Amino acid sequence: MSAQAADGTGRTYRRRPRHGRLFWTVADCWNVVRRGLTHYRRQPVSILWQLAFPILSVLLYGYVFGKAMQVPGGGDYKTFLMPGMFVMTVTMGFISTATIFVHDSKKGVIDRFRSMPMAPSAVVAGRGATDMIVSCAELGIMMGTAYGMGWRPDGGIPFVKAVALLLALRFALIWVGVWLGLMLPSPEQAGGLFAIVFPLTMISSIYVSPQQMPHWLGQVALWNPLSSTASATRALFGAPTGTGTSWPEQHALLLAGVWPAALTLMFLPLAVRRFQKLSR
Amino acid sequence: MDGHVVLAEGLEKRYGEKRALDGFDLAVRPGAVHGLLGPNGAGKTTAVRILSTLLRLDAGRATVAGLDVARQPREVRTRIGLTGQYAAVDEILTGRQNLEMFGRLFHLGRKRARLRAAQLLRQFDLEAAADKGAGGYSGGMRRRLDLAASMILAPAVLFLDEPTTGLDPRGRGEVWQAVRQLVADGTTVLLTTQYLEEADKLASRITVIDQGRAIVDDTPDGLKNRVGGDRIEVVLRERDHVPYALQAVARVAHGQPEADMAELRVHAPVADRVGSLTEVARFLHEFGIPVEDIGLRRPSLDDVFLRLTGRRTEEEPTPDQAQDTKGAAA
Ligand SMILES: Nc1ncnc2c1ncn2[C@@H]1O[C@H](COP(=O)(O)OP(=O)(O)OP(=O)(O)O)[C@@H](O)[C@H]1O
Ligand SMILES: [Mg+2]
């Protein structure tokens, strides 16, 4: 590829191929990220829409049901609930990953990207990077809201660790989102993902401790990846964690690392394979 | 390149048992619109997707601007523009933001991406709406933005896959105008369409594709001559009147008149459109023959098909497409 090459029509086009492939892959990623962030710049309210559900949950469970909700072993329910809401926030985020991917693939935007001389990997990687940035902002807003409601977590290293675990879960869910986005037959179905996410968050330790559920449901909730992150971050933020003595509760910190790693190991190759399959 | 910007030989693409392309050949000369005409499911999109490096081929060989699509996809991508069946633009971004984003992803650099976007917005008459969200654009505007995005590198070849399907006549006219302008500026266009009229209006050469194979390659006039050009058509009320109508039509016919007794329809190819219509109407009127319907009909893709393959196009058009066909024939 030369800087100026004649095409079939005898005209010239001017690209800047002076840099190597790695440079352009990073540059392409960044431009895909820019696009994603511009979406939020043009529609800033959309971020609030995405946070509406966790925020309403805090109000509903924290204030309306607040007195009725019990933490086994005692402790303030609102303090118990907040880390759960952060888990909820990162979990809901994957719906937006899937939504934009299903839109882009069905409306031909991904085809356009793939017909261009950009790095194909940047389409997926750029999306993932955008989602991580947006998730940081969402967590920031949620924590600010929680602080406003009187939430006072332990600071220092444990706090940083807790945030890292939340982001690790979000990172794993990016690949689930990309994979689902490429699987769904139409953009309308993306809204239906809420129907999957909602029970997933209910049957976990996000709202109540699994001990308080019927036995079999409690077992499902115990092994729910969301429960591990919720329990682990509770411990790190210094919130009451309930009195669970089961193995997954005793090893929440370990599982909060293992689950996202396992999900990533499983869904990242699936998502990449699905993306490559587009050319078959 | 042996004088061809697009050259495909024996392309094959299978989906399980289904052969989407089955030995497809194509040769496109530079500097004009080449139409790829075929009914639903003929393999048009598959051909375009292979030529634009989106799909891998199972067998055969294809070059675009002298580059092998299978072996040099990255290089091919710097020489082509693609406008698929949907207007592939970001609906949340403005028109300008769309073009700047694509420009940067085409590696123009930030400053030149901005300049090129401004240039293209002017060229495609989108300046007034440049800073509005593309989601609010009309179908024709969105298509033009889509075309503009395909033209960022001034590619050697522009692939247009049914660019006017789903557009109203006005939007269709806007797109046709834009395509003509591009060709005047030296771009070669490969246009797929289901409408003979569209291929006729824009293309200087047409390849008819059926069941994954090119069955004819000809000029629009050559193609129409094979089909017999425009036809006059008279629909009668009574069976007994058919011979009179045949006689009337024979006076102006440019070929053998035909009668369809089941539908009481008499038709024949004509050369002088308005003259023959007036003549036949006058003749039938003089003999006092009641007529259910009389008119001129452009050969449709269906007629081309019937003539070339001896069978009708298979799929029933959807109501939406049926309307389009009517619109295009009007
Ligand atoms: N991904 C796929 N999987 C299975 N079959 C496919 C796939 N893509 C296309 N086909 C089949 O291949 C054939 C050619 O399809 P193609 O989309 O190329 O036709 P087309 O000429 O573009 O039709 P249309 O006018 O409807 O756009 C069709 O019979 C279609 O069903
Ligand atoms: Mg098609």
Side-chain angles (χ1 to χ4, degrees):
Chain A
M1 270 189 272
S2 58
Q4 291 222 342
D7 58 31
T9 63
R11 286 178 302 162
T12 58
Y13 53 88
R14 293 166 304 279
R15 293 171 63 239
R16 301 170 62 195
R18 284 190 299 273
H19 304 281
R21 189 167 281 196
L22 181 66
F23 172 91
W24 282 122
T25 305
V26 175
D28 292 341
C29 258
W30 164 237
N31 280 312
V32 174
V33 170
R34 251 183 90 148
R35 170 202 178 207
L37 297 182
T38 312
H39 283 177
Y40 289 98
R41 221 178 62 214
R42 285 194 45 82
Q43 305 189 334
V45 199
S46 70
I47 211 160
L48 290 181
W49 275 117
Q50 282 170 29
L51 293 179
F53 190 74
I55 289 179
L56 279 177
S57 295
V58 175
L59 296 177
L60 192 66
Y61 285 84
Y63 289 94
V64 182
F65 303 156
K67 288 267 159 23
M69 306 299 281
Q70 296 290 326
V71 184
D76 175 37
Y77 179 68
K78 239 186 286 168
T79 319
F80 173 88
L81 180 64
M82 289 310 177
M85 287 307 105
F86 305 148
V87 175
M88 166 88 92
T89 305
V90 289
T91 308
M92 305 282 287
F94 103 94
I95 298 183
S96 59
T97 310
T99 306
I100 188 126
F101 248 86
V102 67
H103 256 98
D104 279 0
S105 73
K106 298 300 173 235
K107 297 272 159 102
V109 177
I110 289 190
D111 280 349
R112 168 166 305 259
F113 284 150
R114 293 201 309 129
S115 77
M116 291 167 52
M118 64 182 281
S121 56
V123 179
V124 179
R127 186 70 236 162
T130 312
D131 286 342
M132 291 308 287
I133 295 170
V134 171
S135 283
C136 289
E138 288 181 340
L139 276 179
I141 295 174
M142 283 304 289
M143 287 181 177
T145 310
Y147 192 86
M149 292 175 177
W151 176 65
R152 295 293 179 272
D154 292 351
I157 302 289
F159 182 92
V160 176
K161 268 194 197 163
V163 172
L165 287 178
L166 288 167
L167 291 176
L169 181 64
R170 180 68 186 93
F171 182 78
L173 290 175
I174 285 172
W175 310 108
V176 184
V178 171
W179 179 71
L180 276 173
L182 291 172
M183 294 271 285
L184 289 177
S186 79
E188 289 71 38
Q189 258 116 357
L193 288 179
F194 190 74
I196 302 175
V197 176
F198 188 62
L200 209 64
T201 57
M202 292 308 283
I203 308 170
S204 77
S205 69
I206 286 183
Y207 293 101
V208 294
S209 164
Q211 289 166 282
Q212 294 160 289
M213 300 178 186
H215 179 73
W216 65 272
L217 205 59
Q219 287 303 307
V220 178
L222 276 177
W223 289 99
N224 185 334
L226 305 186
S227 301
S228 306
T229 307
S231 301
T233 49
R234 268 178 199 132
L236 291 166
F237 286 136
T241 54
T243 54
T245 53
S246 65
W247 194 89
E249 283 169 294
Q250 294 293 316
H251 299 84
L253 198 60
L254 173 72
L255 282 179
V258 169
W259 268 124
L263 286 173
T264 306
L265 279 178
M266 183 165 149
F267 282 96
L268 193 145
L270 280 177
V272 169
R273 183 116 42 91
R274 192 83 210 167
F275 186 76
Q276 287 168 340
K277 241 192 167 162
L278 292 174
S279 60
R280 263 192 239 138
Chain B
M1 253 195 263
D2 16 308
H4 293 114
V5 254
V6 179
L7 199 58
E9 288 164 343
L11 295 193
E12 281 181 31
K13 182 75 193 174
R14 282 181 300 275
Y15 292 108
E17 283 300 290
K18 173 84 203 172
R19 287 168 180 273
L21 288 183
D22 189 10
F24 175 72
D25 298 320
L26 181 70
V28 177
R29 291 191 178 283
V33 178
H34 191 112
L36 186 57
L37 182 70
N40 277 142
K44 304 181 294 293
T45 300
T46 308
V48 164
R49 289 174 67 82
I50 284 179
L51 294 171
S52 54
T53 76
L54 293 183
L55 267 186
R56 249 172 269 151
L57 40 76
D58 294 334
R61 205 178 91 87
T63 58
V64 172
L67 297 160
D68 189 299
V69 293
R71 262 177 268 140
Q72 301 156 284
R74 272 198 180 233
E75 287 78 4
V76 169
R77 287 177 199 142
T78 65
R79 266 95 161 158
I80 60 168
L82 171 67
T83 292
Q85 249 163 324
Y86 296 99
V89 295
D90 186 317
E91 304 201 341
I92 301 177
L93 302 186
T94 66
R96 189 188 306 279
Q97 285 171 333
N98 263 289
L99 294 179
E100 288 182 2
M101 166 186 69
F102 288 123
R104 285 191 304 265
L105 288 170
F106 269 120
H107 303 168
L108 286 184
R110 203 183 309 175
K111 205 185 290 164
R112 264 188 309 192
R114 200 178 319 134
L115 286 174
R116 186 73 179 127
Q119 216 175 354
L120 287 165
L121 287 166
R122 203 172 323 120
Q123 183 182 341
F124 287 87
D125 197 18
L126 288 165
E127 271 175 318
D131 297 307
K132 298 204 177 84
Y137 284 15
S138 72
M141 286 163 74
R142 214 175 301 184
R143 264 289 164 206
R144 290 196 326 257
L145 179 60
D146 196 24
L147 278 176
S150 308
M151 292 307 297
I152 287 172
L153 286 190
V157 187
L158 176 62
F159 295 102
L160 295 180
D161 193 6
E162 301 195 20
T164 61
T165 299
L167 291 187
D168 56 17
R170 183 179 150 183
R172 193 171 295 158
E174 290 171 0
V175 170
W176 285 347
Q177 192 47 44
V179 171
R180 284 201 192 95
Q181 187 57 49
L182 292 177
V183 175
D185 292 345
T187 304
T188 305
V189 175
L190 180 66
L191 168 99
T192 82
T193 179
Q194 298 191 28
Y195 310 129
L196 182 58
E197 192 213 3
E198 182 162 279
D200 186 16
K201 276 225 163 80
L202 293 173
S204 56
R205 191 99 199 155
I206 296 175
T207 298
V208 179
I209 177 174
D210 178 39
Q211 299 188 331
R213 218 178 291 214
I215 53 174
V216 183
D217 183 279
D218 208 339
T219 60
D221 282 338
L223 203 59
K224 276 188 289 180
N225 285 341
R226 289 177 198 234
V227 190
D230 290 336
R231 300 182 81 82
I232 189 163
E233 193 175 81
V234 182
V235 182
L236 300 151
R237 296 224 172 105
E238 283 169 47
R239 215 179 165 77
D240 297 344
H241 293 148
V242 169
Y244 293 101
L246 272 172
Q247 199 186 333
V249 166
R251 292 157 58 97
V252 298
H254 210 67
Q256 191 60 38
E258 286 170 44
D260 177 345
M261 294 309 279
E263 291 177 27
L264 302 184
R265 203 158 54 90
V266 170
H267 53 103
V270 292
D272 174 8
R273 290 159 47 84
V274 178
S276 34
L277 189 61
T278 340
E279 176 63 15
V280 171
R282 195 185 54 78
F283 183 93
L284 291 172
H285 184 72
E286 259 172 32
F287 282 78
I289 294 182
V291 166
E292 182 68 39
D293 193 14
I294 182 167
L296 286 164
R297 219 159 55 79
R298 287 263 166 91
S300 65
L301 178 54
D302 228 33
D303 299 319
V304 177
F305 239 70
L306 191 61
R307 211 35 73 112
L308 294 174
T309 66
R311 50 187 180 78
R312 301 231 141 241
T313 56
E314 278 150 20
E315 272 96 343
E316 287 287 303
T318 62
D320 181 298
Q321 284 164 333
Q323 216 175 350
D324 279 350
T325 317
K326 238 187 271 156

